Amino acid sequence: HGTHVASIAAGVAITDVASGVAPAAQLVALKVFGRSGSTTLTIDALEWATENYLEHGWPHVINMSLGSNFGTDDPEDPSVKGSQAAAEAGIVVVASAGNAGNNSYITGSPATADKAISVAASTTGYVTGPTINISGTKYITQTNIVYTPASFDDNTGHYTETTIAPLAYVGALEGAPNNRLCSVDDWSGVAEDALAGQIALIQRGVCAFSEKVNNAAAFGAVGTIIYNNAPGPFGGIGTPVTIPAAFIQMPDGENLIPAHGQDVIVDAKDDVSTVPDPYTPADTIAGFSSRGPRGYDSALKPEITAPGVGIFAADMGSGTAGVSMGGTSMAAPHIAGVAALMLQANDEWSPETVKAAMMNTVMAPVLGATIPRAGAGRVDAYRAVSTDVYAVGDADLVSVNWGVIMSRNDTV
């Protein structure tokens, strides 16, 4: 997701993709991952960046949208040690807290380094993407439903143009055994052309997404909409398919069921809109955002929160298109971009000053989160850049930490 992360930090607006936090800031990309799997190269990238800063004066900010769970301040952890050394040299080091959820001490490393800024993720109150609408409906719940485009093999399964066709809820077809459209079930009682010229509404579950889509095609469908069988957004991957697919949340799918037989409009995947999020208010902690504190000493990590849910930014290899992604990997470059703005406005500031000013000027506490999940609160870029006053507790951590407070009292 390097292209997406870079776009968030420093992108310049084009088509539907907005500018990043620090538009046109100069970037250096240090590749530490292959297409998948883990890496042992993070320390090499940190060393290169630190040596280059000491010799040439750049980079000023490091963003690491990566990490491993149950982070500590272990001096023997190379990435922690490298992050600390980079910050001591004068670079602002930003890293994602992780996506392991509300579990104590699971927050990620190398963001757990003292001087690093560990970033949690929150919602924006908006969602950007292509939409689904029931034509002429009087129900608002059947309009502006943002869907996740398919990610099937061979670049198949995309709505490449706006498609209008009758909506067919497969659970309502005569002879349908259920609403999942899986081959394991007996669909022999359904007419061969039951979905001819229609867009099939199918529930997630039991079989692969590609099987559902290709089964719909076999019944004559021109497209599919697959809705979740549990709360939350999702996307579909798998073997190649022959017709397009869109993926929506469970309540959206349930709201579409009564529209069986009515015309549905599915926008092309690159025709995006930004609409209010009907499910989660702005500045709510992301369900996936990892909880602290860090291991060993229970020091405060993560330390600050930034938007990281449904972030629409550049889509790798697409030219000018964008894509929505979520994760603390998307939150971290927001903080890296703010740090770049702060250094542009205050070029004498140290990493400690940047971190303190940023943490001191946050917005109100993040909804649904305690300090070990959200840190000081959600970043406020303008206040962080323009503040004249900041306070520091610990010289490295910035925050005031008591760690684990031992008690002589019996506990239950």
Side-chain angles (χ1 to χ4, degrees), residues 1 5 64-71 95-103 105-109 111 118-122 285-292 302 306-311 325-333 373:
H1 51 38
V5 167
M64 291 184 287
S65 290
L66 52 81
S68 56
N69 293 337
F70 294 107
S96 53
N99 305 322
N102 190 18
N103 301 291
Y105 292 98
I106 205 166
T107 193
S109 166
S118 177
V119 189
S122 62
I285 195 70
F288 56 75
S289 194
S290 290
R291 183 187 181 104
V309 177
I311 305 302
M325 292 186 183
T328 55
S329 285
M330 284 68 248
R373 288 201 77 189

Coordinates of all heavy atoms in Angstrom, one line a residue, residues 1 5 64-71 95-103 105-109 111 118-122 285-292 302 306-311 325-333 373:
H1 N 0.8 -1.2 0.0 CA 0.0 0.0 0.0 C 0.9 1.3 0.0 O 0.4 2.3 0.4 CB -1.0 0.0 1.2 CG -0.3 -0.3 2.5 ND1 0.9 0.2 2.9 CD2 -0.8 -0.9 3.6 CE1 1.2 -0.1 4.1 NE2 0.2 -0.9 4.6
V5 N -0.3 5.2 0.8 CA 0.3 5.9 2.0 C 1.0 7.2 1.6 O 0.8 8.2 2.2 CB 1.3 4.9 2.7 CG1 2.1 5.7 3.7 CG2 0.5 3.8 3.4
M64 N 6.5 4.9 8.9 CA 6.5 3.5 8.8 C 5.1 2.9 9.0 O 4.6 2.8 10.1 CB 7.5 2.9 9.8 CG 8.9 3.2 9.5 SD 10.1 2.4 10.6 CE 9.8 3.4 12.1
S65 N 4.4 2.6 7.9 CA 3.1 2.0 8.0 C 3.3 0.5 8.0 O 3.0 -0.2 7.1 CB 2.3 2.4 6.8 OG 1.9 3.8 6.9
L66 N 3.9 0.1 9.1 CA 4.3 -1.4 9.3 C 4.4 -1.6 10.8 O 4.5 -0.7 11.6 CB 5.5 -1.7 8.5 CG 6.8 -0.8 8.7 CD1 7.5 -1.1 10.0 CD2 7.7 -0.9 7.6
G67 N 4.7 -2.9 11.1 CA 4.9 -3.2 12.5 C 4.5 -4.6 12.9 O 4.0 -5.4 12.1
S68 N 4.9 -5.0 14.1 CA 4.5 -6.3 14.6 C 3.9 -6.2 16.0 O 4.2 -5.3 16.7 CB 5.7 -7.2 14.7 OG 6.7 -6.6 15.5
N69 N 3.0 -7.1 16.3 CA 2.2 -7.0 17.5 C 3.0 -7.2 18.8 O 4.1 -7.7 18.7 CB 1.0 -8.0 17.5 CG 0.0 -7.7 16.5 OD1 -0.1 -6.6 16.0 ND2 -0.7 -8.7 16.0
F70 N 2.4 -6.8 19.9 CA 3.0 -6.9 21.2 C 4.4 -6.2 21.3 O 5.4 -6.8 21.7 CB 3.1 -8.4 21.7 CG 1.8 -9.0 21.9 CD1 1.3 -9.9 21.0 CD2 1.0 -8.6 23.0 CE1 0.0 -10.5 21.1 CE2 -0.3 -9.2 23.1 CZ -0.7 -10.1 22.2
G71 N 4.4 -5.0 20.9 CA 5.7 -4.2 20.8 C 6.2 -3.8 22.2 O 5.4 -3.6 23.2
A95 N 5.1 5.9 13.2 CA 4.8 4.6 12.9 C 3.4 4.2 13.3 O 2.9 4.7 14.3 CB 5.8 3.6 13.5
S96 N 2.8 3.3 12.6 CA 1.5 2.8 12.9 C 1.4 1.9 14.2 O 2.4 1.2 14.4 CB 0.9 2.1 11.7 OG 1.7 1.0 11.3
A97 N 0.3 2.1 14.9 CA 0.2 1.3 16.2 C -0.2 -0.1 15.9 O 0.0 -1.0 16.8 CB -0.8 2.0 17.1
G98 N -0.8 -0.4 14.8 CA -1.2 -1.8 14.5 C -2.7 -1.9 14.4 O -3.5 -1.1 14.9
N99 N -3.1 -3.1 13.9 CA -4.5 -3.3 13.6 C -5.1 -4.6 14.3 O -5.9 -5.3 13.7 CB -4.7 -3.5 12.1 CG -4.2 -2.3 11.3 OD1 -4.3 -1.2 11.7 ND2 -3.6 -2.6 10.1
A100 N -4.6 -4.8 15.5 CA -5.0 -6.0 16.3 C -6.1 -5.8 17.3 O -6.4 -6.7 18.0 CB -3.7 -6.6 17.0
G101 N -6.7 -4.6 17.3 CA -7.9 -4.4 18.1 C -7.7 -4.1 19.5 O -6.6 -3.7 20.0
N102 N -8.8 -4.2 20.3 CA -8.9 -3.7 21.6 C -8.4 -4.8 22.6 O -9.1 -5.3 23.4 CB -10.3 -3.3 22.0 CG -10.5 -2.6 23.3 OD1 -9.5 -2.1 23.9 ND2 -11.7 -2.6 23.8
N103 N -7.1 -5.1 22.5 CA -6.4 -6.1 23.4 C -5.2 -5.4 24.0 O -4.3 -4.9 23.4 CB -6.0 -7.3 22.5 CG -7.1 -8.0 21.8 OD1 -8.0 -8.6 22.4 ND2 -7.1 -7.8 20.5
Y105 N -1.8 -4.4 25.5 CA -0.4 -4.6 25.3 C -0.1 -5.1 23.8 O 1.0 -5.5 23.5 CB 0.2 -5.6 26.3 CG 0.3 -5.1 27.7 CD1 -0.7 -5.3 28.6 CD2 1.4 -4.3 28.0 CE1 -0.6 -4.8 29.9 CE2 1.4 -3.7 29.3 CZ 0.5 -4.0 30.2 OH 0.5 -3.5 31.5
I106 N -1.1 -5.1 23.0 CA -0.9 -5.6 21.6 C -0.4 -4.6 20.7 O 0.0 -4.9 19.5 CB -2.2 -6.3 21.1 CG1 -1.9 -7.3 20.0 CG2 -3.1 -5.2 20.5 CD1 -3.0 -8.2 19.7
T107 N -0.3 -3.3 21.1 CA 0.2 -2.3 20.2 C 1.6 -2.6 19.6 O 2.4 -3.3 20.2 CB 0.3 -0.9 21.0 OG1 0.4 0.1 20.0 CG2 1.4 -0.9 22.0
G108 N 1.8 -2.1 18.4 CA 2.9 -2.6 17.6 C 4.2 -1.9 17.7 O 4.3 -0.8 18.1
S109 N 5.2 -2.7 17.3 CA 6.6 -2.2 17.2 C 7.0 -2.0 15.8 O 6.4 -2.8 14.9 CB 7.5 -3.3 17.9 OG 8.9 -3.0 17.5
A111 N 6.8 1.3 16.6 CA 6.2 2.5 17.1 C 6.4 2.6 18.6 O 6.2 3.7 19.2 CB 4.7 2.5 16.8
S118 N 3.6 6.9 18.0 CA 2.8 5.8 17.7 C 1.4 6.3 17.4 O 0.8 7.0 18.2 CB 2.8 4.8 18.9 OG 1.9 3.7 18.6
V119 N 0.8 5.8 16.2 CA -0.4 6.4 15.7 C -1.6 5.4 15.7 O -1.5 4.3 15.1 CB -0.2 7.0 14.3 CG1 -1.5 7.8 13.9 CG2 1.0 7.9 14.3
A120 N -2.7 5.7 16.4 CA -3.9 5.0 16.3 C -4.8 5.5 15.2 O -4.5 6.6 14.6 CB -4.6 5.0 17.7
A121 N -5.9 4.8 14.9 CA -6.8 5.2 13.8 C -8.2 5.5 14.3 O -8.7 4.8 15.2 CB -6.8 4.1 12.7
S122 N -8.8 6.5 13.6 CA -10.2 6.9 13.9 C -10.9 7.1 12.7 O -10.4 7.1 11.6 CB -10.2 8.2 14.8 OG -9.6 9.2 14.1
I285 N -12.9 5.8 17.6 CA -11.7 4.9 17.4 C -12.1 3.7 16.5 O -13.2 3.2 16.6 CB -11.3 4.4 18.8 CG1 -9.8 3.7 18.7 CG2 -12.2 3.4 19.4 CD1 -8.7 4.7 18.4
A286 N -11.2 3.4 15.6 CA -11.4 2.3 14.7 C -11.4 1.0 15.5 O -10.6 0.8 16.4 CB -10.3 2.2 13.6
G287 N -12.3 0.1 15.2 CA -12.4 -1.2 15.9 C -11.1 -2.0 15.8 O -10.8 -2.7 16.7
F288 N -10.4 -1.9 14.7 CA -9.2 -2.6 14.5 C -8.0 -2.0 15.2 O -6.9 -2.7 15.4 CB -8.9 -2.8 13.0 CG -8.8 -1.5 12.3 CD1 -7.7 -0.6 12.4 CD2 -9.8 -1.0 11.4 CE1 -7.6 0.6 11.7 CE2 -9.7 0.2 10.8 CZ -8.6 1.0 10.9
S289 N -8.0 -0.7 15.6 CA -6.8 0.0 16.1 C -6.3 -0.7 17.4 O -7.0 -0.9 18.3 CB -7.2 1.4 16.4 OG -6.1 2.2 16.5
S290 N -5.0 -1.0 17.4 CA -4.4 -1.7 18.5 C -4.3 -0.9 19.8 O -4.0 0.3 19.8 CB -3.0 -2.2 18.1 OG -3.0 -3.1 17.1
R291 N -4.6 -1.6 20.9 CA -4.5 -1.0 22.2 C -3.2 -1.2 22.8 O -2.5 -2.2 22.6 CB -5.6 -1.7 23.1 CG -5.7 -1.1 24.5 CD -6.7 -1.9 25.4 NE -6.8 -1.4 26.7 CZ -7.9 -0.7 27.1 NH1 -8.9 -0.5 26.3 NH2 -7.9 -0.2 28.3
G292 N -2.8 -0.2 23.6 CA -1.6 -0.2 24.4 C -1.9 -0.7 25.8 O -2.9 -1.3 26.0
P302 N -0.5 3.6 21.9 CA -0.1 4.7 21.0 C -0.3 6.1 21.7 O -0.8 6.2 22.8 CB -1.2 4.6 19.9 CG -2.3 3.9 20.6 CD -1.7 3.0 21.6
A306 N -5.2 9.5 14.3 CA -5.4 10.3 13.1 C -6.4 9.4 12.3 O -6.6 8.3 12.5 CB -4.1 10.5 12.3
P307 N -7.1 10.1 11.3 CA -8.0 9.3 10.4 C -7.4 8.1 9.8 O -6.3 8.2 9.2 CB -8.4 10.4 9.4 CG -8.2 11.7 10.0 CD -7.0 11.5 10.9
G308 N -8.1 7.0 9.9 CA -7.5 5.7 9.3 C -8.6 4.8 8.8 O -8.3 3.6 8.6
V309 N -9.8 5.2 8.7 CA -10.9 4.4 8.3 C -11.5 4.9 7.0 O -11.9 6.1 6.9 CB -12.0 4.3 9.3 CG1 -13.2 3.4 8.8 CG2 -11.5 3.7 10.6
G310 N -11.6 4.0 5.9 CA -12.1 4.5 4.6 C -11.4 5.6 4.0 O -12.1 6.6 3.5
I311 N -10.1 5.6 4.0 CA -9.3 6.7 3.5 C -9.2 6.6 2.0 O -8.6 5.6 1.5 CB -7.9 6.8 4.2 CG1 -8.1 6.9 5.7 CG2 -7.2 8.0 3.7 CD1 -8.9 8.1 6.2
M325 N -9.0 2.6 1.6 CA -8.3 1.6 2.5 C -8.5 2.0 3.9 O -8.7 3.2 4.2 CB -6.9 1.5 2.1 CG -6.6 0.9 0.8 SD -4.8 0.6 0.6 CE -4.7 -0.1 -1.1
G326 N -8.3 1.1 4.8 CA -8.4 1.4 6.3 C -7.3 0.7 7.0 O -6.8 -0.4 6.6
G327 N -6.8 1.3 8.1 CA -5.8 0.7 8.9 C -5.0 1.8 9.6 O -5.0 3.0 9.2
T328 N -4.2 1.5 10.6 CA -3.3 2.5 11.2 C -2.2 2.8 10.2 O -1.5 3.8 10.3 CB -2.7 2.0 12.5 OG1 -2.1 0.7 12.3 CG2 -3.8 1.8 13.6
S329 N -2.1 2.0 9.1 CA -1.2 2.3 8.0 C -1.6 3.6 7.3 O -0.8 4.3 6.7 CB -1.1 1.2 7.0 OG -0.3 0.1 7.5
M330 N -2.9 3.8 7.3 CA -3.4 5.1 6.7 C -3.4 6.2 7.7 O -3.3 7.4 7.3 CB -4.9 4.8 6.3 CG -5.1 4.0 5.0 SD -4.6 2.3 5.2 CE -3.2 2.2 4.1
A331 N -3.4 5.9 9.0 CA -3.4 7.0 10.0 C -2.0 7.6 10.2 O -1.8 8.8 10.3 CB -3.9 6.4 11.4
A332 N -1.0 6.7 10.1 CA 0.4 7.2 10.3 C 0.8 8.3 9.3 O 1.4 9.3 9.7 CB 1.4 6.0 10.3
P333 N 0.6 8.1 8.0 CA 1.0 9.2 7.1 C 0.3 10.5 7.3 O 0.8 11.5 6.9 CB 0.7 8.6 5.7 CG -0.3 7.5 5.9 CD 0.0 6.9 7.3
R373 N -5.8 3.3 24.0 CA -6.2 3.1 22.6 C -5.9 4.3 21.7 O -5.6 4.1 20.5 CB -7.6 2.6 22.4 CG -7.9 1.3 23.0 CD -9.2 0.7 22.4 NE -9.0 0.2 21.0 CZ -10.0 -0.2 20.2 NH1 -11.2 -0.1 20.6 NH2 -9.7 -0.6 19.0

